[in-house]
Every structure is written in structure tokens, then in C-alpha cells.
Amino acid sequence: MGIAKILIVDDRPENLLTLESLLDEPDIELVRATSGMEALGLTLDHDFALVLLDVQMPGMDGYEVAELMRGNKKTKHIPIIFITAAFRADAQVFKGYESGAVDYLFKPLDERVFKSKVGVFIELFRHKDALSKKTRELDRKLVELEELQQQLEETNEQLRLLSTTDGLTGLLNKREFEVIFEREWIRGIRTQAPLSLVMLDIDFFKAYNDTCGHAQGDDCLKKVAMAISDAARRHTDKVARVGGEEFAVLLPETEAEGAVHVAERLLGAVSDLAIPHKRSSVAGYVTTSIGVATMVPHQKGIQRDLFEAADDGLYRAKEKGRNRWCMGSSVLNVA
């Protein structure tokens, strides 16, 4: 249990001694003031549970002290009990309450009544102090919970990224690409807008890996992935690594002409990297073969139709000598 501070204010030392003798408790700390000005100064420096204030003092009387305390934000809530030797006059009592007193005691003090009334305010102070500590503890726990919530959200975001992206290139992984592919296919059925797919394969990548080593091979994949991602410029275009050296670009609401334009841009973007490839049969640098397909999704068709059409275009590009794009021949536009 904490110590409760009580300010006793009286211009006569013998009255202060009387109050001290009545309040001689181990869990109460008494602070003296012999004038109104001194009392006001002390209320700004201490957190008092109660002020026992003499009414009749030279200079500044108790009423003035109480009114000034009530006018100050820091001291307005400190309970004040007036103690006076004056006769019990209703007008005087009312003036005390109007000045901000919570109670009135008359000298000579009745020890039992005095201790009972002071005890009430001490108990209220302790409840208030305990509540304040609980509130601070709750605020601290709320801050901790907010921090934990933030950490959880960041962890969940990291997990989401790990589950949807390719660890090497940072592109979408095959599983997430298939989810998006299905969503765009269903949307295309509803809107009857064309959907295009571009399949891209790095030419002679196994030979590159065998010659340069897997570390350099990984570096090559990352550079190609970045070039492809930069070339697919619309935010709706989805780029994924769907195999070891195979990539896919999904182009919603894109006609065949637009898909071919993207394919040409992809082809040039990878060639412009000028990554040396000594064992390539088509160029002295890393190149790609690309398959392109476009169709309007329809209830009678399936995603696989578009995928097989783009894959057919990729096969044709390789068959014709690589380092080129070809349109798939099995494109289905079901009306």
C-alpha cells in the first residue's frame, strides 16, 4: 500500500501539532504549511490525497486558497476539508462549500469523527491511485498488443509473399499464377474480353548452367525475370516463373495484336541484357523463345485451351530456330 500525502495548513504551530498527533499513521505522510501562499506552492510540487485547511489565516484566508486551488488544473481535484474555530454559522459553511470544500470540521476536533472523515478521503485516494496504476498498466499492454498485432500483420504478409512468389526471382510462383489465371478466365467469361498468354523459355539454358555453373545460372534467371517484369508494363499484366527457365505473362483484356507487341518487347528486353552464352546455337548471348495465344474465354472452353495454344506457339518458335516468337495455332475463339 502506497503512502498518502496530506497537506495541513494552519498559521498556528500548536494547531499543526494537534493535527499531526491525530494523523500519526505509518502510511500517511504529512506536509506542513503555515500560510496560504506556502500551501499553494506545495500543492504544485506534491500529489496530495487531502488538504486540511484552516479558514482564518492572516494575509490569504482559507477561502481564497480553496478558490485558487479550484482554478488550477493541477490542483482542482484535490479534496479540501476546512477546519475552523469559528462558530457554526450557516453562511460561513455555505461560503466554504462554494469555495470548493468537500467538508467542514470545527474545533475542538472530535478525534473519532475527524479520523473517520479523513479515512474516507485516504481510501478514495488509494482507490484512485490503484485505478491510475491499472490504467497505465492497461495502456502499456494495449501498446504491446498493438506492437504484436503489427508484427503479426508483417509476419502474415511475409508468409503470404513466400507462398505466392518465387524465391529466386521474386515473380509470382506457378501456384499463384494458376490462381490468378483462373480468376481472369472467369472474369473474361463474364466480360467477354480477350485474354492473352505469353509463354517464354530461355534458349539452351541447361547448356548455360553446365558451362557457367548454377550460381551464375541463378543470376541469369534473376536478370531475365527483371527484364520481363519491366517489359510487362501494365499493372494488370501478371508475370510468373512457372518452371526452371520458363516464364509466363498473362495479359487480361488484350487482343492478339497487343500480345504480339508484348512478345516482341520481351524478346528484345532479354536480348538487350547481352548476357554472354558461349554454347548457344543462335547467338553469343542469352536469348528466348516465345509462344503467344489469345482467346475470348467461354463457358465451353477451359483455361487449358489457352495454355496449350501458347505452349504450341513456344514449340513452333523453338522448331523454327529459337530467338523468336510464334503464335499458337490452336487458338479457340468460341462464339
Side-chain angles (χ1 to χ4, degrees):
M1 186 179 295
I3 299 294
K5 290 183 179 181
I6 296 178
L7 176 62
I8 53 177
V9 188
D10 200 301
D11 62 308
R12 299 180 64 180
E14 62 270 23
N15 290 338
L16 293 174
L17 287 171
T18 300
L19 291 173
E20 287 175 344
S21 65
L22 292 172
L23 295 170
D24 186 15
E25 301 289 342
D27 56 350
I28 294 177
E29 179 184 340
L30 298 176
V31 178
R32 283 182 168 212
T34 56
S35 70
M37 286 300 294
E38 184 183 7
L40 289 173
L42 289 168
T43 59
L44 298 176
D45 297 331
H46 298 269
D47 184 18
F48 289 114
L50 178 65
V51 175
L52 298 174
L53 183 58
D54 183 31
V55 172
Q56 295 171 320
M57 293 185 294
M60 182 184 295
D61 65 19
Y63 300 129
E64 292 177 276
V65 173
E67 287 174 358
L68 289 170
M69 284 179 62
R70 289 294 167 262
N72 187 291
K73 186 177 180 180
K74 186 179 186 301
T75 60
K76 65 186 296 184
H77 300 297
I78 302 174
I80 300 169
I81 294 180
F82 278 136
I83 298 177
T84 181
F87 60 91
R88 188 188 300 268
D90 288 343
Q92 189 181 40
V93 172
F94 286 136
K95 183 177 180 182
Y97 288 134
E98 288 172 0
S99 300
V102 295
D103 210 340
Y104 231 105
L105 290 172
F106 294 90
K107 302 172 186 177
L109 297 171
D110 182 304
E111 181 176 350
R112 188 165 55 88
V113 173
F114 175 77
K115 286 188 174 182
S116 175
K117 290 193 174 185
V118 169
V120 168
F121 291 104
I122 294 298
E123 193 63 25
L124 285 173
F125 174 80
R126 290 195 172 122
H127 282 307
K128 176 185 172 185
D129 188 52
L131 181 60
S132 178
K133 288 177 180 176
K134 288 290 184 183
T135 301
R136 288 195 299 271
E137 183 180 349
L138 180 60
D139 288 342
R140 186 171 64 252
K141 288 187 179 297
L142 285 173
V143 170
E144 290 174 359
L145 282 174
E146 288 174 0
E147 291 174 350
L148 287 172
Q149 178 67 23
Q150 179 66 25
Q151 292 173 11
L152 181 61
E153 289 174 1
E154 290 173 358
T155 300
N156 286 338
E157 179 62 17
Q158 290 171 357
L159 289 173
R160 188 192 69 79
L161 289 173
L162 287 173
S163 67
T164 60
T165 58
D166 174 59
L168 178 66
T169 64
L171 299 179
L172 296 174
N173 59 26
K174 185 177 181 181
R175 183 176 63 179
E176 182 67 9
F177 183 76
E178 289 173 348
V179 171
I180 294 172
F181 193 177
E182 181 179 12
R183 186 167 67 234
E184 289 298 337
W185 181 268
I186 293 171
R187 191 166 72 89
I189 292 174
R190 187 177 69 253
T191 63
Q192 283 298 282
L195 182 64
S196 293
L197 178 63
V198 176
M199 300 293 294
L200 180 149
D201 197 74
I202 299 176
D203 295 327
F204 306 108
F205 187 70
K206 184 179 183 304
Y208 183 91
N209 250 349
D210 292 343
T211 304
C212 302
H214 288 287
Q216 200 163 328
D218 287 349
D219 188 56
C220 174
L221 286 171
K222 286 189 281 188
K223 288 178 179 176
V224 169
M226 185 175 293
I228 294 171
S229 183
D230 290 343
R233 294 168 183 168
R234 298 184 310 174
H235 74 278
T236 53
D237 299 341
K238 303 301 179 183
V239 185
R241 183 187 178 199
V242 294
E245 67 272 15
E246 193 171 26
F247 301 86
V249 182
L250 190 65
L251 306 168
E253 300 182 4
T254 303
E255 300 278 0
E257 184 180 355
V260 167
H261 182 67
V262 171
E264 290 175 342
R265 198 161 63 231
L266 295 173
L267 199 69
V270 176
S271 294
D272 288 345
L273 292 173
I275 301 171
H277 190 346
K278 296 178 181 178
R279 292 185 58 186
S280 171
S281 301
V282 295
Y285 49 86
V286 169
T287 59
T288 55
S289 297
I290 298 176
V292 184
T294 301
M295 65 175 62
V296 176
H298 195 275
Q299 293 283 7
K300 295 180 182 179
I302 57 174
Q303 293 166 242
R304 190 72 190 172
D305 297 334
L306 182 57
F307 176 81
E308 288 180 352
D311 195 53
D312 177 70
L314 179 58
Y315 176 80
R316 287 167 174 267
K318 290 182 179 181
E319 195 176 49
K320 289 185 178 183
R322 304 177 190 262
N323 192 21
R324 69 190 67 234
W325 64 267
C326 282
M327 183 70 74
S329 62
S330 56
V331 177
L332 300 177
N333 286 296
V334 183

